[in-house]
PDB file of all heavy atoms in Angstrom:
ATOM      1  N   ASN T   7      22.947 -30.580   0.207  1.00 98.00           N
ATOM      2  CA  ASN T   7      23.501 -31.899   0.529  1.00 98.00           C
ATOM      3  C   ASN T   7      25.031 -31.815   0.480  1.00 98.00           C
ATOM      4  O   ASN T   7      25.604 -31.446  -0.548  1.00 98.00           O
ATOM      5  CB  ASN T   7      22.960 -32.884  -0.516  1.00 98.00           C
ATOM      6  CG  ASN T   7      23.419 -34.297  -0.271  1.00 98.00           C
ATOM      7  OD1 ASN T   7      24.581 -34.524   0.062  1.00 98.00           O
ATOM      8  ND2 ASN T   7      22.532 -35.252  -0.448  1.00 98.00           N
ATOM      9  N   ASP T   9      27.136 -34.385   1.097  1.00 98.00           N
ATOM     10  CA  ASP T   9      27.775 -35.705   0.899  1.00 98.00           C
ATOM     11  C   ASP T   9      28.981 -35.621  -0.030  1.00 98.00           C
ATOM     12  O   ASP T   9      29.972 -36.339   0.143  1.00 98.00           O
ATOM     13  CB  ASP T   9      26.806 -36.691   0.231  1.00 98.00           C
ATOM     14  CG  ASP T   9      25.612 -37.027   1.087  1.00 98.00           C
ATOM     15  OD1 ASP T   9      25.544 -36.576   2.239  1.00 98.00           O
ATOM     16  OD2 ASP T   9      24.723 -37.743   0.568  1.00 98.00           O
ATOM     17  N   HIS T  10      28.858 -34.762  -1.056  1.00 97.00           N
ATOM     18  CA  HIS T  10      29.902 -34.712  -2.085  1.00 97.00           C
ATOM     19  C   HIS T  10      31.214 -34.153  -1.541  1.00 97.00           C
ATOM     20  O   HIS T  10      32.284 -34.455  -2.053  1.00 97.00           O
ATOM     21  CB  HIS T  10      29.407 -33.917  -3.294  1.00 97.00           C
ATOM     22  CG  HIS T  10      28.081 -34.422  -3.792  1.00 97.00           C
ATOM     23  ND1 HIS T  10      27.961 -35.561  -4.549  1.00 97.00           N
ATOM     24  CD2 HIS T  10      26.824 -33.975  -3.586  1.00 97.00           C
ATOM     25  CE1 HIS T  10      26.670 -35.786  -4.799  1.00 97.00           C
ATOM     26  NE2 HIS T  10      25.972 -34.829  -4.233  1.00 97.00           N
ATOM     27  N   HIS T  43      23.613 -38.008   3.883  1.00 97.00           N
ATOM     28  CA  HIS T  43      23.165 -39.394   3.696  1.00 97.00           C
ATOM     29  C   HIS T  43      24.212 -40.302   4.332  1.00 97.00           C
ATOM     30  O   HIS T  43      25.326 -40.420   3.829  1.00 97.00           O
ATOM     31  CB  HIS T  43      23.030 -39.677   2.195  1.00 97.00           C
ATOM     32  CG  HIS T  43      22.524 -41.053   1.876  1.00 97.00           C
ATOM     33  ND1 HIS T  43      22.276 -41.453   0.591  1.00 97.00           N
ATOM     34  CD2 HIS T  43      22.231 -42.127   2.655  1.00 97.00           C
ATOM     35  CE1 HIS T  43      21.834 -42.707   0.597  1.00 97.00           C
ATOM     36  NE2 HIS T  43      21.820 -43.141   1.847  1.00 97.00           N
ATOM     37  N   GLU T  70      19.365 -38.518   5.557  1.00 98.00           N
ATOM     38  CA  GLU T  70      18.906 -39.512   4.579  1.00 98.00           C
ATOM     39  C   GLU T  70      19.465 -40.844   4.994  1.00 98.00           C
ATOM     40  O   GLU T  70      20.655 -40.947   5.333  1.00 98.00           O
ATOM     41  CB  GLU T  70      19.455 -39.185   3.183  1.00 98.00           C
ATOM     42  CG  GLU T  70      18.675 -38.134   2.477  1.00 98.00           C
ATOM     43  CD  GLU T  70      19.306 -37.805   1.126  1.00 98.00           C
ATOM     44  OE1 GLU T  70      20.181 -38.557   0.652  1.00 98.00           O
ATOM     45  OE2 GLU T  70      18.928 -36.792   0.567  1.00 98.00           O
ATOM     46  N   CYS T  90      14.825 -38.778   5.975  1.00 98.00           N
ATOM     47  CA  CYS T  90      14.287 -39.126   4.662  1.00 98.00           C
ATOM     48  C   CYS T  90      14.723 -40.555   4.351  1.00 98.00           C
ATOM     49  O   CYS T  90      15.924 -40.843   4.294  1.00 98.00           O
ATOM     50  CB  CYS T  90      14.813 -38.155   3.597  1.00 98.00           C
ATOM     51  SG  CYS T  90      14.218 -38.552   1.939  1.00 98.00           S
ATOM     52  N   VAL T  92      15.465 -43.625   2.118  1.00 97.00           N
ATOM     53  CA  VAL T  92      15.857 -43.851   0.717  1.00 97.00           C
ATOM     54  C   VAL T  92      16.220 -45.319   0.539  1.00 97.00           C
ATOM     55  O   VAL T  92      16.616 -45.974   1.501  1.00 97.00           O
ATOM     56  CB  VAL T  92      17.073 -42.963   0.322  1.00 97.00           C
ATOM     57  CG1 VAL T  92      16.738 -41.492   0.451  1.00 97.00           C
ATOM     58  CG2 VAL T  92      18.302 -43.297   1.146  1.00 97.00           C
ATOM     59  N   THR T 100      24.985 -43.576  -6.966  1.00 67.00           N
ATOM     60  CA  THR T 100      24.180 -42.693  -6.113  1.00 67.00           C
ATOM     61  C   THR T 100      22.812 -43.345  -6.013  1.00 67.00           C
ATOM     62  O   THR T 100      22.568 -44.374  -6.644  1.00 67.00           O
ATOM     63  CB  THR T 100      24.091 -41.269  -6.713  1.00 67.00           C
ATOM     64  OG1 THR T 100      23.288 -40.449  -5.869  1.00 67.00           O
ATOM     65  CG2 THR T 100      23.487 -41.256  -8.108  1.00 67.00           C
ATOM     66  N   THR T 101      21.917 -42.774  -5.218  1.00 69.00           N
ATOM     67  CA  THR T 101      20.582 -43.370  -5.087  1.00 69.00           C
ATOM     68  C   THR T 101      19.934 -43.433  -6.465  1.00 69.00           C
ATOM     69  O   THR T 101      19.759 -42.414  -7.120  1.00 69.00           O
ATOM     70  CB  THR T 101      19.711 -42.515  -4.127  1.00 69.00           C
ATOM     71  OG1 THR T 101      20.502 -42.175  -2.997  1.00 69.00           O
ATOM     72  CG2 THR T 101      18.487 -43.263  -3.685  1.00 69.00           C
ATOM     73  N   PHE T 131      11.502 -40.904   0.042  1.00 97.00           N
ATOM     74  CA  PHE T 131      12.016 -40.542  -1.287  1.00 97.00           C
ATOM     75  C   PHE T 131      11.451 -41.538  -2.293  1.00 97.00           C
ATOM     76  O   PHE T 131      11.818 -42.717  -2.278  1.00 97.00           O
ATOM     77  CB  PHE T 131      13.542 -40.632  -1.246  1.00 97.00           C
ATOM     78  CG  PHE T 131      14.227 -40.300  -2.544  1.00 97.00           C
ATOM     79  CD1 PHE T 131      14.098 -39.055  -3.115  1.00 97.00           C
ATOM     80  CD2 PHE T 131      15.031 -41.239  -3.176  1.00 97.00           C
ATOM     81  CE1 PHE T 131      14.748 -38.739  -4.302  1.00 97.00           C
ATOM     82  CE2 PHE T 131      15.692 -40.937  -4.362  1.00 97.00           C
ATOM     83  CZ  PHE T 131      15.546 -39.679  -4.928  1.00 97.00           C
ATOM     84  N   GLU T 151       9.612 -36.940  -0.807  1.00 98.00           N
ATOM     85  CA  GLU T 151      10.522 -36.235  -1.713  1.00 98.00           C
ATOM     86  C   GLU T 151      10.401 -36.947  -3.048  1.00 98.00           C
ATOM     87  O   GLU T 151      10.711 -38.138  -3.156  1.00 98.00           O
ATOM     88  CB  GLU T 151      11.969 -36.276  -1.214  1.00 98.00           C
ATOM     89  CG  GLU T 151      12.915 -35.536  -2.161  1.00 98.00           C
ATOM     90  CD  GLU T 151      14.351 -35.515  -1.649  1.00 98.00           C
ATOM     91  OE1 GLU T 151      14.576 -35.434  -0.426  1.00 98.00           O
ATOM     92  OE2 GLU T 151      15.256 -35.605  -2.508  1.00 98.00           O
ATOM     93  N   GLY T 190      13.985 -33.578  -5.262  1.00 98.00           N
ATOM     94  CA  GLY T 190      15.436 -33.691  -5.231  1.00 98.00           C
ATOM     95  C   GLY T 190      15.984 -34.810  -6.073  1.00 98.00           C
ATOM     96  O   GLY T 190      15.291 -35.767  -6.406  1.00 98.00           O
ATOM     97  N   HIS T 191      17.202 -34.662  -6.402  1.00 97.00           N
ATOM     98  CA  HIS T 191      18.088 -35.563  -7.140  1.00 97.00           C
ATOM     99  C   HIS T 191      18.325 -35.066  -8.569  1.00 97.00           C
ATOM    100  O   HIS T 191      17.394 -34.950  -9.347  1.00 97.00           O
ATOM    101  CB  HIS T 191      17.590 -37.020  -7.186  1.00 97.00           C
ATOM    102  CG  HIS T 191      18.735 -37.981  -7.187  1.00 97.00           C
ATOM    103  ND1 HIS T 191      19.525 -38.189  -8.283  1.00 97.00           N
ATOM    104  CD2 HIS T 191      19.267 -38.744  -6.208  1.00 97.00           C
ATOM    105  CE1 HIS T 191      20.476 -39.058  -7.971  1.00 97.00           C
ATOM    106  NE2 HIS T 191      20.348 -39.411  -6.712  1.00 97.00           N
ATOM    107  N   GLY T 192      19.573 -34.752  -8.836  1.00 98.00           N
ATOM    108  CA  GLY T 192      19.965 -34.369 -10.192  1.00 98.00           C
ATOM    109  C   GLY T 192      19.553 -32.961 -10.592  1.00 98.00           C
ATOM    110  O   GLY T 192      19.726 -32.567 -11.755  1.00 98.00           O
ATOM    111  N   LEU T 193      19.012 -32.200  -9.652  1.00 98.00           N
ATOM    112  CA  LEU T 193      18.587 -30.838 -10.030  1.00 98.00           C
ATOM    113  C   LEU T 193      19.796 -29.923 -10.133  1.00 98.00           C
ATOM    114  O   LEU T 193      20.748 -30.033  -9.350  1.00 98.00           O
ATOM    115  CB  LEU T 193      17.597 -30.292  -8.993  1.00 98.00           C
ATOM    116  CG  LEU T 193      16.253 -31.026  -8.941  1.00 98.00           C
ATOM    117  CD1 LEU T 193      15.388 -30.487  -7.804  1.00 98.00           C
ATOM    118  CD2 LEU T 193      15.516 -30.912 -10.276  1.00 98.00           C
ATOM    119  N   SER T 211      16.119 -30.285  -2.568  1.00 98.00           N
ATOM    120  CA  SER T 211      17.282 -30.911  -1.935  1.00 98.00           C
ATOM    121  C   SER T 211      18.347 -31.100  -3.020  1.00 98.00           C
ATOM    122  O   SER T 211      18.164 -31.894  -3.947  1.00 98.00           O
ATOM    123  CB  SER T 211      16.857 -32.260  -1.352  1.00 98.00           C
ATOM    124  OG  SER T 211      17.979 -32.935  -0.849  1.00 98.00           O
ATOM    125  N   ILE T 212      19.429 -30.349  -2.895  1.00 98.00           N
ATOM    126  CA  ILE T 212      20.405 -30.302  -3.986  1.00 98.00           C
ATOM    127  C   ILE T 212      21.826 -30.402  -3.438  1.00 98.00           C
ATOM    128  O   ILE T 212      22.174 -29.753  -2.456  1.00 98.00           O
ATOM    129  CB  ILE T 212      20.260 -28.991  -4.805  1.00 98.00           C
ATOM    130  CG1 ILE T 212      18.801 -28.824  -5.259  1.00 98.00           C
ATOM    131  CG2 ILE T 212      21.202 -28.993  -6.011  1.00 98.00           C
ATOM    132  CD1 ILE T 212      18.516 -27.580  -6.073  1.00 98.00           C
ATOM    133  N   GLY T 213      22.619 -31.232  -4.089  1.00 98.00           N
ATOM    134  CA  GLY T 213      24.006 -31.394  -3.672  1.00 98.00           C
ATOM    135  C   GLY T 213      24.990 -31.235  -4.809  1.00 98.00           C
ATOM    136  O   GLY T 213      25.761 -30.275  -4.875  1.00 98.00           O
ATOM    137  N   HIS T 214      24.935 -32.169  -5.757  1.00 98.00           N
ATOM    138  CA  HIS T 214      26.000 -32.278  -6.749  1.00 98.00           C
ATOM    139  C   HIS T 214      26.203 -31.002  -7.562  1.00 98.00           C
ATOM    140  O   HIS T 214      27.335 -30.547  -7.743  1.00 98.00           O
ATOM    141  CB  HIS T 214      25.718 -33.478  -7.676  1.00 98.00           C
ATOM    142  CG  HIS T 214      26.862 -33.815  -8.548  1.00 98.00           C
ATOM    143  ND1 HIS T 214      26.993 -33.316  -9.822  1.00 98.00           N
ATOM    144  CD2 HIS T 214      27.963 -34.564  -8.317  1.00 98.00           C
ATOM    145  CE1 HIS T 214      28.117 -33.761 -10.346  1.00 98.00           C
ATOM    146  NE2 HIS T 214      28.727 -34.523  -9.461  1.00 98.00           N
ATOM    147  N   ALA T 215      25.111 -30.428  -8.060  1.00 98.00           N
ATOM    148  CA  ALA T 215      25.241 -29.237  -8.916  1.00 98.00           C
ATOM    149  C   ALA T 215      25.866 -28.078  -8.149  1.00 98.00           C
ATOM    150  O   ALA T 215      26.671 -27.306  -8.701  1.00 98.00           O
ATOM    151  CB  ALA T 215      23.870 -28.831  -9.463  1.00 98.00           C
TER     152      ALA T 215
HETATM  153  N1  PXP Y 301      17.673 -36.346  -2.448  1.00 79.51           N
HETATM  154  C1  PXP Y 301      18.040 -37.626  -2.231  1.00 79.51           C
HETATM  155  C2  PXP Y 301      17.069 -38.530  -1.560  1.00 79.51           C
HETATM  156  C3  PXP Y 301      19.327 -38.079  -2.586  1.00 79.51           C
HETATM  157  O1  PXP Y 301      19.665 -39.364  -2.360  1.00 79.51           O
HETATM  158  C4  PXP Y 301      20.225 -37.172  -3.168  1.00 79.51           C
HETATM  159  C5  PXP Y 301      21.615 -37.620  -3.516  1.00 79.51           C
HETATM  160  O2  PXP Y 301      22.321 -37.919  -2.372  1.00 79.51           O
HETATM  161  C6  PXP Y 301      19.805 -35.850  -3.369  1.00 79.51           C
HETATM  162  C7  PXP Y 301      18.519 -35.468  -3.026  1.00 79.51           C
HETATM  163  C8  PXP Y 301      20.701 -34.819  -3.982  1.00 79.51           C
HETATM  164  O3  PXP Y 301      20.979 -35.194  -5.278  1.00 79.51           O
HETATM  165  P1  PXP Y 301      22.100 -34.396  -6.089  1.00 79.51           P
HETATM  166  O4  PXP Y 301      23.382 -34.598  -5.369  1.00 79.51           O
HETATM  167  O5  PXP Y 301      22.050 -35.034  -7.436  1.00 79.51           O
HETATM  168  O6  PXP Y 301      21.681 -32.955  -6.089  1.00 79.51           O
END
Side-chain angles (χ1 to χ4, degrees):
N7 182 318
D9 295 356
H10 308 282
H43 182 177
E70 279 177 13
C90 179
V92 299
T100 179
T101 316
F131 180 61
E151 180 178 325
H191 213 286
L193 294 175
S211 175
I212 307 180
H214 191 267

